[in-house]
Amino acid sequence: MSLTPVLIVGGSLVGLSASVFLAWRGIPHILVEKHSGSSTHPRAMGYTETTLEHYRMVGIADRIPQTPQNFRLRRVKASSLAGEWQGEQAWTPGEADTHNTGLSPNTGAAIAQDKLEPILRMAALEFGADLRYSTELLHFEDRGDSIVVQLRDRNAGRDYAISADYMIATDGADSPIRERLGIAREGVGNIRTVRSVLFKCQEADQYLGLSRDTGKNSP
């Protein structure tokens, strides 16, 4: 049975960020992710100045395209790609229309998750992280002074065990690890259901172009 100081379960944004920060500090660890790589769907988009400050600390902020000063993501309702905007609102409900500028060396980023994850993955590898994709957590046991986990290499069809001093669960909002530990979620529950669609349209640029001065549809 192999040993590691830290085991990270889940290789999406949170797991990869944890791996980057640990590896930058020289802390050996293993990250396991049951999927073979990042999702091809853009998923999350929009990261604050504070997030970029953390990435700047480890020297990778310049790899992430940042937004211009005063740029703010917005949500827009429209009848079609070519139709008039019927209304717009802040990207985050309750967000102020204006925000402080010049307080950070970073401006935030409007990069999709499927583009950010490869940047984080490459940085983690450069720092010496051990990333194991197509590797599924089957079972874990807290033995007090260590966590013993059973893993399955889905490509090789091989099961093996790892002992870790600490385990970080970054396996999503519906985390099986959190559920097994009996850590409940608190709050108002489901607020709304949001669906997103990814499609390709070669003619989209003429409809989605934005004016740098007004932020409205270009004529």
Side-chain angles (χ1 to χ4, degrees):
M1 180 168 56
S2 58
L3 307 175
T4 183
V6 182
L7 174 69
I8 303 172
V9 182
S12 194
L13 287 179
V14 178
L16 285 172
S17 294
S19 179
V20 167
F21 299 137
L22 287 172
W24 178 70
R25 288 287 188 181
I27 300 174
H29 64 279
I30 297 172
L31 178 149
V32 297
E33 164 59 50
K34 66 180 180 180
H35 297 105
S36 59
S38 300
S39 169
T40 57
H41 197 285
R43 302 170 70 186
M45 181 176 181
Y47 306 93
T48 67
E49 296 90 338
T50 301
T51 299
L52 269 293
E53 287 172 1
H54 289 304
Y55 293 145
R56 180 174 180 264
M57 177 181 66
V58 298
I60 64 171
D62 59 347
R63 305 183 190 184
I64 303 171
Q66 297 191 45
T67 57
Q69 199 73 256
N70 295 319
F71 175 87
R72 304 300 282 176
L73 286 172
R74 300 179 307 283
R75 299 183 189 274
V76 175
K77 291 183 179 180
S79 57
S80 67
L81 288 179
E84 292 294 327
W85 288 8
Q86 300 172 350
E88 69 178 271
Q89 61 186 25
W91 184 263
T92 302
E95 180 182 53
D97 292 334
T98 59
H99 68 292
N100 294 324
T101 59
L103 300 181
S104 170
N106 301 107
T107 59
I111 182 175
Q113 183 170 338
D114 65 322
K115 303 300 183 184
L116 179 56
E117 283 187 7
I119 295 174
L120 299 178
R121 182 161 51 248
M122 181 58 67
L125 291 172
E126 290 173 359
F127 289 140
D130 184 348
L131 308 183
R132 303 184 186 183
Y133 284 82
S134 297
T135 300
E136 182 179 6
L137 173 69
L138 300 177
H139 177 76
F140 70 91
E141 178 184 355
D142 185 352
R143 296 186 178 178
D145 59 348
S146 65
I147 308 292
V148 176
V149 301
Q150 295 291 326
L151 301 172
R152 172 167 295 166
D153 183 331
R154 302 175 78 175
N155 289 331
R158 178 179 67 90
D159 295 353
Y160 61 98
I162 285 180
S163 176
D165 296 326
Y166 300 94
M167 180 172 67
I168 302 177
T170 60
D171 51 342
D174 296 322
S175 166
I177 295 175
R178 178 184 56 76
E179 292 286 349
R180 184 181 164 192
L181 292 174
I183 302 173
R185 288 182 288 184
E186 298 180 358
V188 297
N190 183 52
I191 300 176
R192 61 180 174 176
T193 299
V194 178
R195 304 187 187 281
S196 59
V197 178
L198 175 64
F199 64 94
K200 293 182 179 180
C201 177
Q202 295 180 349
E203 306 296 329
D205 286 349
Q206 61 181 305
Y207 301 122
L208 299 181
L210 297 178
S211 167
R212 292 184 179 179
D213 295 330
T214 66
K216 300 295 185 180
N217 289 84
S218 299

